[in-house]
C-alpha cells in the first residue's frame, strides 16, 4: 500500500442532512489501491451514512466523489457498480437455499445456446474465483445455509470480485464470527489487498480495525475527528477519538 499518487476514491467535503439533522457534516476521506481504511464511531456517528453516499444508497446534499481522480456521478447503486464499487452488507444478501455458484451469479446467470442455465460453466467459474480467494473452500454443492460464517463471507466477497469490484465496502465483516472464522476473513482481505483492491471497512470493533486496517478514520456527531495510521497508534488512542473526540498527536 502506498499513499503516493492518485487516490482510488476521494469523498470530498460530503454533507447530508435528514430532517434538519446533519448526519454527515463536511467530511473528506480517501482510499488508495491495496489499502484498507476503517471507519469507526458510535452508532449515529455518520460512518454508514457517509459510505452510503459512495454506494449509491444516498445522494449527498453537497460535496463530490472522485474515482481515480475523475469526478463521479453516483445517484444510485447501479451508478456505483459502473465505477466498480461493490458493497458487502452484514446480512450478506445471500439466498440460503442456493449453492455457492447460484449465489455468485444470482441475477446475472450464465445461459447456454438453448436459453437454459449453464450450471457447469457457473460452477467452473465459481471454483476458479474461490481457488484464487479461498483455496480451502470445497463446499460447492450444498446450500449456503450449511456454510460457516467465514465461508459465507467468502461467497459474498467472491461475487463482488468476480464482477470486477475495485472498491469494496464491507460492513462489520467479522461480526459474530469465532476466532478461526475471523482469521479466514482476515486472510481474504489480505488477498484482496494484494490484488490492488481498496476496501472501506465499517467497524465497531477496535481490535478488528487494528488487525485489518492500514488507516482508521474516526467520526463523531457527523464530523471527522481525524485519521490515523493504525501502526502508529494504540487501541486507547482510537478509543479516545471515538469517545471524547480527542485527537492523538499522530492524527491528521
Amino acid at each position: 500500500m502506498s499513499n503516493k499518487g492518485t487516490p482510488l476514491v476521494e469523498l470530498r467535503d460530503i454533507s447530508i442532512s435528514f430532517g434538519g439533522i446533519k448526519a454527515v457534516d463536511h467530511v473528506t476521506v480517501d482510499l488508495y489501491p491495496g489499502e484498507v481504511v476503517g471507519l469507526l464511531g458510535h452508532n449515529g456517528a455518520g460512518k454508514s451514512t457517509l459510505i452510503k453516499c459512495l454506494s449509491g444508497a444516498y445522494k449527498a446534499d453537497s460535496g463530490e466523489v472522485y474515482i481515480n481522480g475523475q469526478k463521479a456521478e453516483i445517484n444510485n447503486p447501479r451508478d456505483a457498480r459502473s465505477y466498480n464499487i461493490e458493497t458487502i452488507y452484514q446480512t450478506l444478501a445471500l439466498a440460503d437455499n442456493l449453492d455457492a455458484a447460484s449465489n455468485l451469479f444470482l441475477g446475472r446467470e450464465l445461459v447456454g445456446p438453448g436459453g437454459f442455465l449453464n450450471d457447469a460453466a457457473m460452477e467452473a467459474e465459481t471454483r476458479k474465483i474461490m481457488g484464487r480467494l479461498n483455496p480451502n473452500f470445497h463446499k460447492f454443492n450444498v446450500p449456503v445455509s450449511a456454510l460457516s460464517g467465514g465461508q459465507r463471507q467468502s461467497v459474498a466477497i467472491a461475487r463482488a470480485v468476480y464482477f470486477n469490484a475495485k472498491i469494496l465496502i464491507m460492513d462489520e465483516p467479522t461480526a459474530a464470527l469465532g476466532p478461526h472464522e475471523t482469521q479466514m476473513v482476515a486472510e481474504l482481505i489480505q488477498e484482496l489487498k494484494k490484488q490492488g483492491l481498496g476496501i472501506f471497512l465499517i467497524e465497531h470493533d477496535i481490535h478488528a480495525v487494528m488487525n485489518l486496517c492500514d488507516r482508521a478514520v474516526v467520526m463523531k456527531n457527523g464530523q471527522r475527528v481525524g485519521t490515523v495510521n493504525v501502526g502508529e497508534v494504540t487501541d486507547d488512542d482510537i478509543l479516545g477519538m471515538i469517545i471524547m473526540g480527542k485527537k492523538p498527536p499522530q492524527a491528521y
Side-chain angles (χ1 to χ4, degrees), residues 6-239:
T6 305
L8 185 58
V9 181
E10 189 177 5
L11 294 163
R12 191 180 294 178
D13 206 29
I14 300 290
S15 292
I16 183 170
S17 299
F18 300 104
I21 306 292
K22 275 214 162 169
V24 176
D25 188 5
H26 296 287
V27 172
T28 296
V29 298
D30 56 18
L31 175 72
Y32 287 81
E35 180 184 42
V36 181
V37 170
L39 290 162
L40 294 104
H42 289 305
N43 286 334
K47 57 191 186 300
S48 293
T49 303
L50 172 69
I51 225 66
K52 282 178 179 176
C53 295
L54 178 64
S55 71
Y58 293 150
K59 176 87 171 102
D61 298 331
S62 62
E64 297 170 327
V65 178
Y66 288 81
I67 308 291
N68 291 315
Q70 303 294 313
K71 189 175 176 185
E73 289 296 331
I74 300 176
N75 298 306
N76 53 54
R78 186 180 288 113
D79 288 345
R81 280 195 205 101
S82 74
Y83 290 104
N84 302 112
I85 300 165
E86 291 280 349
T87 304
I88 298 175
Y89 293 106
Q90 218 174 333
T91 52
L92 297 181
L94 298 176
D96 280 345
N97 58 318
L98 301 178
D99 62 16
S102 299
N103 268 285
L104 195 87
F105 289 95
L106 194 61
R108 300 184 263 200
E109 289 82 1
L110 300 181
V111 179
F116 297 104
L117 291 180
N118 193 337
D119 292 321
M122 289 190 285
E123 183 173 332
E125 289 297 304
T126 302
R127 287 179 180 273
K128 198 185 296 179
I129 187 74
M130 292 303 280
R132 207 171 98 204
L133 289 174
N134 184 2
N136 296 318
F137 186 95
H138 303 297
K139 296 185 175 180
F140 291 96
N141 300 310
V142 299
V144 295
S145 59
L147 302 180
S148 69
Q151 290 167 335
R152 288 166 63 86
Q153 279 283 1
S154 297
V155 174
I157 291 169
R159 181 169 60 191
V161 173
Y162 183 81
F163 290 102
N164 294 317
K166 296 285 183 288
I167 300 150
L168 206 54
I169 300 164
M170 301 181 78
D171 184 7
E172 299 195 62
T174 60
L177 297 184
H180 175 71
E181 299 289 299
T182 298
Q183 182 57 33
M184 183 193 296
V185 173
E187 287 167 8
L188 277 167
I189 288 172
Q190 289 301 321
E191 183 56 39
L192 296 173
K193 283 176 62 175
K194 280 186 211 162
Q195 295 177 24
L197 274 75
I199 301 171
F200 276 121
L201 202 66
I202 302 169
E203 265 296 347
H204 281 98
D205 185 346
I206 293 174
H207 299 298
V209 169
M210 298 300 280
N211 289 333
L212 299 173
C213 298
D214 301 290
R215 290 188 292 147
V217 176
V218 175
M219 292 184 65
K220 186 175 176 68
N221 301 326
Q223 297 181 323
R224 189 184 71 169
V225 175
T227 303
V228 293
N229 294 316
V230 167
E232 296 175 359
V233 293
T234 65
D235 298 23
D236 287 343
D237 289 329
I238 294 180
L239 203 55

